[in-house]
Amino acid sequence: MSTTATSTTSTTKQIDVVGMHCSACVSKVENALVSTPGVSKASVNLVLNRATVVGTTTDEALKLAVERAGYEVADITSDDVASPRKDPMKIQRESARYWLSNLLIAAPFAALVMIATMVPGIHIAEDVLFILTLPVLWAGRSFYVGAINATRHATATMDTLVAIGTASALLYSLVLMYTPWLHELGSVHHGAYLDTTSTIITLVLFGKWLEARARLGTAGDLTSLLRRRIPTARVKRNDQVVEVNAEALVTNDIVLVRPGETIPADGVITSGSTAVDEQLLTGESLPVSKSIGDTVIGGSVNQHGAIEMRTTAVGADTVLSRIIRAVERAQEGKANVQRLADRVSAVFVPIVLLIALVTGLIWFFAAPDGQGIPFAFNTAIAVLVIACPCALGLATPTAIVVGGGLGARNGILYGSAEALENLATVTDVVLDKTGTITTGQPSITSRYLSPNSKYDADTVWSAVAASEQQSEHPLARALEHAGAILPEHRVNNVQTIPGKGIVAKFDTLTVRVGTEDLMSDALLLVPQDIATHAATMRARAETTVFVGISGQVVAVLGLSDPPRPESADAVKSLHDQGLTTHMLTGDNAETAKAIAAMVGIEHITAHVRPEQKATYIESLQSQGSIVAMVGDGINDAPALATATVGVAMSSGTDIAQAVADVQLIRNSLASLPTAIRISRATMHTIRQNLFLAFIYNVLAIPLAAGALFPFTGWMLSPMIAAAAMAMSSVTVVTNSLRLRSS
C-alpha cells in the first residue's frame, strides 16, 4: 500500500474496504471518511466495496478512519499515479467463495438440528444439539464480529439485526436447556430455539452467497477492459529486443507486436502493416487496416502482420486507461437518489431494533395463554431478520454499475453517477455545429481574391496558411492548406479572438482571418465584389472566412464541412425520445440554416461567440429546461460546463473533454441517443429496485410482527423471514442485471 505525505494539493483516492454488507455500513464508512481532517468529499459504493475520497489527507489517516468505523482496508490507490486496479470480478469471486465456504460448513449441521427438533420420532439430547449448533455459529462469525464493531462505534448495521436475533434465540435456548422449569411459561419444542439460530444463520449465508454470485455479473464490463492490459511488452533498446514490464514503457519506445498479441500502449506504426481489432474500445466490429504512420490504441488486438510502433502514450495516459478510469468513476460515484436511500438506511436499523422490542413486548402480554414467551421471541426475531436493509443498499449501485458498463460497451463514458442520473432527465439538447453535427474536417472548396487587392495570391494565401498554423480552431486545419507558406516570411504576435478568428503579424503586415465581425471590429469594410462571392458561397452551405491585410479586406474563402453521415438519424432519434434540439454556431446564418435543414434541427442560433453559448444555455435553464450540451472544441468549454450535462465528442480538445460529464468515444453523434436511452433505462431500474426494497420492508415488517395473526392465525416464522430477506437482495441485483440486455 502506498503512503503519501499531506500536501495542499487535492487528490482523488480509492479505498478498497472489507466487511461492508448493507447501506448502513456505507453510511458508517462515509461519515467516518468525511469527518477526517483534509477530506472534502467521500463516496462509498457497496457493490464495488470501494470508497472514493477527494482531499489532502494521508493514506494512514484514511486507513485509520475506516478501521475506527469497524472495517478493514485492503488497498488504497490514487488517480494521479498509474497504479494497477484490482479486477472487480476477482473481488466478487473472493466474496462468493468466502460465503460459500461458510455456507458449506453451516448447512449440514443446521439440517441435522432442524431434523432433530422438528421430525417426530427423532430424539437427540439437547447438549448434542447445542454442540451441532457451534459449527453454524462459527460459520456465521462475521455477523457477530460486525455487530460488535458496530456497537463499539455506537452504530447499528445489518450484522446487528442478525446477531441480536440469533444470539437472543441461542441464549434463551441455553436458559431453557438448563432451567427446565421455565418450560411451564410457554410451550417450546425440543431443542428450544437452536433450530431458529442455526437455520437463520444458514439462510443468511445462503443469501449472501447468492447475492455475491449475482453481483459477479455487474462487474463484467470493467473486467473486460482491465484484461486488455498486458503485463509485458517487447521493446527495442540498445539495438536489442528485450521484454519489459508494460508499466515500464516510456513515450517514444519502439515496441514490437506480433500477430495475435494485444497492443501494450498507444502509438504510431513505424514498420509493417496489419489489421487491428478495436471493437472493445471503439465498437467497430470489423478489423481496421493499419500501416506505417497510422495510430494504434493500447488494448486493441493485432490480428495479422507483425508491426513495430513508437509509443505516444503509456500507462495512465493511454486511451484504455482513460476509459477504465471513466468507467470506474461512474461506478464509484453516487447518484442523488442513492444518497436519499443511504440517509434512510442510517436511521432504519435503530428504528427496526425499536420495532422488534415493542413487538416482543406486545406479544408477551397479548399472546394466547401460555404462549407469551414463544410469541414474543418469534415475532421479535422475525422482525430483526426480515428487516435487514441489504436490498436497499444494493438498489442503486448495482444499477449504476451495470448501466455504466453498458455505456462503455456502446462507446459512452459517463464521468460520474450524477451524470448518468442527470442525463435521464434532459429535456433539451444543444449541439455545436462544427465537429459535432458536421465532420469537423472542413476543406476549402472555393476562394476569391479581389482584383483590387494590393497583394498577390501567393502572399495572401501564404499569410492565411502561416497564421492558421497557430490556431486550435477546427477550421484552421483546412485553412493551413490555403497556400504554400513562403519561407522568407515569419508570423508572430498571433492573437485568437474567440468566435471570430485570428489576428497576426506576417512580417510587417497585419493579417486578419475570420468572420465578417472580425473585419468590422477593425473598421474594415467588405468590398461589394467580395460580399457577392461570399453570398454565393453561403448559398452552397459553405462557411465563409474573410481575409484582411493591413487595412483592406482582400479575399474570402468558402469552406465545406458536411454533416456527419449519422447526424440526421441521430437528431430524429432525439426527437423520437421527446427531446428538443438546438444548434449553436459561430458561423453565418445562411450556412447554419442549410446545415440544420439537412439534419432536421429545430432551433438555430448563428453568429454565437463562446460566452454567448453559455448564456443561451442559461436562458433555457431559466425557462425550466434541463439541458445537455454537445461539443468538441475549446470554444465549447464554457457551455459544456454550464449545461446540466456536458457531452464531448472523442475528437474534441482536451479542455472540452475535461469539463464534459459524458464522452462519446466512438466520435459518433449516433451514440448520444443511445447514451440517453441507457441513462433512462438505468434510472427506471433504480426506481424499480427502490420500490422493491421499500415495499418489501413496508409489507414484511408488519407480517413479521404478527399483524395477520388476529385475523388468520398465521405467524411468520423467523426461518421464513431469513429466506425472504435473502431473496430480496437477490431480486434487486437480478433486476439490475436485466439492463445488460437493453
Side-chain angles (χ1 to χ4, degrees):
M1 185 184 303
S2 60
T3 59
T4 58
T6 304
S7 70
T8 57
T9 303
S10 181
T11 59
T12 301
K13 298 182 179 181
Q14 285 75 38
I15 308 170
D16 291 324
V17 182
V18 178
M20 294 190 298
H21 300 311
C22 65
S23 51
C25 300
V26 168
S27 296
K28 281 178 59 185
V29 175
E30 204 165 85
N31 291 336
L33 290 170
V34 168
S35 61
T36 302
V39 173
S40 59
K41 182 180 179 182
S43 177
V44 180
N45 187 298
L46 179 62
V47 174
L48 300 176
N49 289 318
R50 183 178 298 160
T52 302
V53 178
V54 179
T56 59
T57 192
T58 63
D59 290 1
E60 290 86 351
L62 296 174
K63 183 174 184 290
L64 185 60
V66 173
E67 290 174 345
R68 282 178 176 169
Y71 302 87
E72 297 178 18
V73 171
D75 194 17
I76 300 179
T77 53
S78 299
D79 266 3
D80 55 354
V81 294
S83 36
R85 302 295 297 157
K86 192 171 184 181
D87 186 337
M89 285 193 75
K90 184 177 180 182
I91 295 172
Q92 297 300 341
R93 284 196 192 95
E94 290 171 354
S95 175
R97 278 196 293 268
Y98 172 81
W99 295 117
L100 179 59
S101 62
N102 285 293
L103 174 63
L104 293 177
I105 293 172
F109 292 100
L112 288 173
V113 174
M114 176 68 74
I115 291 170
T117 55
M118 303 300 291
V119 177
I122 298 178
H123 183 83
I124 298 178
E126 289 183 330
D127 287 342
V128 175
L129 290 178
F130 174 65
I131 292 172
L132 291 174
T133 304
L134 292 178
V136 182
L137 296 173
W138 168 255
R141 63 195 178 280
S142 63
F143 304 129
Y144 299 102
V145 171
I148 292 170
N149 287 335
T151 303
R152 284 171 47 210
H153 297 91
T155 59
T157 67
M158 181 211 84
D159 292 335
T160 306
L161 301 181
V162 174
I164 290 178
T166 56
S168 299
L170 174 68
L171 292 174
Y172 186 56
S173 297
L174 293 177
V175 169
L176 290 177
M177 285 166 56
Y178 296 106
T179 54
W181 58 270
L182 284 177
H183 280 268
E184 298 174 3
L185 297 178
S187 59
V188 180
H189 62 254
H190 178 69
Y193 290 96
L194 292 176
D195 57 340
T196 298
T197 299
S198 59
T199 304
I200 287 176
I201 290 174
T202 302
L203 286 171
V204 174
L205 288 171
F206 179 63
K208 300 303 287 184
W209 174 64
L210 287 178
E211 178 187 310
R213 289 283 302 170
R215 280 158 62 174
L216 269 172
T218 67
D221 298 301
L222 181 54
T223 293
S224 296
L225 292 170
L226 287 168
R227 286 176 178 168
R228 285 300 179 111
R229 286 175 164 171
I230 62 172
T232 61
R234 292 180 301 116
V235 186
K236 273 187 176 180
R237 288 183 180 166
N238 300 322
D239 295 325
Q240 291 185 336
V241 177
V242 295
E243 190 169 277
V244 301
N245 190 308
E247 295 291 331
L249 288 174
V250 297
T251 54
N252 294 319
D253 268 340
I254 300 299
V255 178
L256 283 69
V257 186
R258 291 176 293 203
E261 291 183 338
T262 299
I263 295 170
D266 297 352
V268 177
I269 295 177
T270 58
S271 176
S273 61
T274 186
V276 177
D277 179 2
E278 299 178 340
Q279 182 171 7
L280 186 64
L281 302 175
T282 67
E284 296 295 334
S285 57
L286 296 176
V288 182
S289 297
K290 302 281 185 178
S291 58
I292 294 174
D294 289 335
T295 59
V296 288
I297 305 172
S300 55
V301 179
N302 178 27
Q303 290 204 325
H304 300 311
I307 59 171
E308 292 183 8
M309 56 172 278
R310 177 178 54 82
T311 59
T312 56
V314 297
D317 296 326
T318 63
V319 171
L320 176 60
S321 291
R322 295 205 307 271
I323 292 173
I324 289 171
R325 279 305 305 135
V327 175
E328 286 183 327
R329 279 196 301 272
Q331 295 184 349
E332 290 162 0
K334 185 170 293 189
N336 292 325
V337 68
Q338 184 180 348
R339 298 183 194 281
L340 173 63
D342 288 346
R343 286 196 295 272
V344 171
S345 296
V347 297
F348 184 74
V349 174
I351 290 174
V352 169
L353 290 171
L354 180 61
I355 293 173
L357 177 62
V358 171
T359 298
L361 289 173
I362 290 174
W363 282 110
F364 180 78
F365 295 105
D369 292 342
Q371 299 294 313
I373 291 178
F375 267 59
F377 258 82
N378 277 326
T379 53
I381 293 172
V383 167
L384 288 172
V385 172
I386 206 167
C388 290
C390 298
L392 193 59
L394 293 168
T396 299
T398 52
I400 291 290
V401 168
V402 175
L406 181 61
R409 292 212 319 269
N410 284 274
I412 301 152
L413 300 184
Y414 300 98
S416 65
E418 291 92 338
L420 184 60
E421 179 180 29
N422 291 338
L423 194 58
T425 65
V426 162
T427 60
D428 291 63
V429 177
V430 178
L431 300 151
D432 171 55
K433 180 180 76 71
T434 304
T436 302
I437 296 173
T438 64
T439 62
Q441 297 176 337
S443 60
I444 298 172
T445 49
S446 58
R447 67 177 77 195
Y448 173 76
L449 176 64
S450 173
N452 300 319
S453 170
K454 301 179 192 176
Y455 310 100
D456 59 51
D458 287 345
T459 300
V460 172
W461 306 134
S462 178
V464 172
S467 301
E468 291 296 335
Q469 279 192 333
Q470 314 298 317
S471 175
E472 293 293 330
H473 195 280
L475 295 181
R477 303 289 77 78
L479 293 171
E480 283 180 14
H481 302 290
I485 299 174
L486 303 177
E488 64 270 21
H489 295 281
R490 292 186 178 180
V491 172
N492 51 50
N493 296 335
V494 177
Q495 181 184 4
T496 299
I497 312 298
K500 295 185 178 181
I502 63 170
V503 180
K505 281 289 186 181
F506 184 70
D507 284 342
T508 60
L509 301 177
T510 299
V511 179
R512 288 178 170 83
V513 184
T515 64
E516 190 169 0
D517 286 343
L518 182 67
M519 306 299 133
S520 299
D521 291 346
L523 303 180
L524 303 184
L525 297 176
V526 177
Q528 185 58 49
D529 61 327
I530 294 179
T532 300
H533 280 81
T536 302
M537 293 173 184
R538 290 168 183 158
R540 296 196 297 260
E542 294 176 353
T543 297
T544 52
V545 178
F546 294 89
V547 182
I549 299 182
S550 295
Q552 180 188 13
V553 179
V554 298
V556 63
L557 298 107
L559 282 74
S560 179
D561 183 17
R564 294 173 181 272
E566 75 277 7
S567 289
D569 287 341
V571 170
K572 181 180 183 302
S573 181
L574 292 173
H575 292 164
D576 291 343
Q577 293 183 32
L579 297 164
T580 302
T581 55
H582 309 251
M583 184 176 78
L584 299 183
T585 178
D587 211 338
N588 61 79
E590 292 90 341
T591 302
K593 288 178 181 177
I595 295 294
M598 292 179 192
V599 300
I601 295 283
E602 297 171 301
H603 303 280
I604 312 135
T605 304
H607 289 297
V608 180
R609 295 192 300 273
E611 66 275 13
Q612 292 175 322
K613 290 183 180 180
T615 302
Y616 184 90
I617 289 172
E618 288 173 347
S619 69
L620 288 177
Q621 292 171 329
S622 68
Q623 298 167 29
S625 298
I626 302 172
V627 183
M629 169 68 194
V630 190
D632 72 324
I634 293 174
N635 61 336
D636 297 320
L640 290 170
T642 302
T644 309
V645 182
V647 182
M649 308 293 283
S650 67
S651 61
T653 62
D654 290 343
I655 293 177
Q657 293 186 32
V659 300
D661 304 295
V662 178
Q663 291 185 33
L664 308 180
I665 62 174
R666 292 182 184 173
N667 200 38
S668 169
L669 199 57
S671 297
L672 181 61
T674 303
I676 296 172
R677 178 179 57 78
I678 291 173
S679 179
R680 289 178 173 179
T682 301
M683 294 311 300
H684 180 66
T685 300
I686 288 174
R687 287 190 288 270
Q688 286 180 331
N689 286 350
L690 289 173
F691 174 79
L692 290 170
F694 277 115
I695 201 69
Y696 163 80
N697 281 302
V698 167
L699 296 177
I701 291 177
L703 289 177
L708 293 181
F709 183 81
F711 310 102
T712 65
W714 183 78
M715 186 74 73
L716 185 68
S717 114
M719 285 80 84
I720 296 176
M725 182 273 288
M727 293 312 298
S728 68
S729 296
V730 175
T731 299
V732 163
V733 177
T734 303
N735 189 51
S736 294
L737 288 173
R738 290 192 309 111
L739 267 173
R740 292 172 67 93
S741 60
S742 65

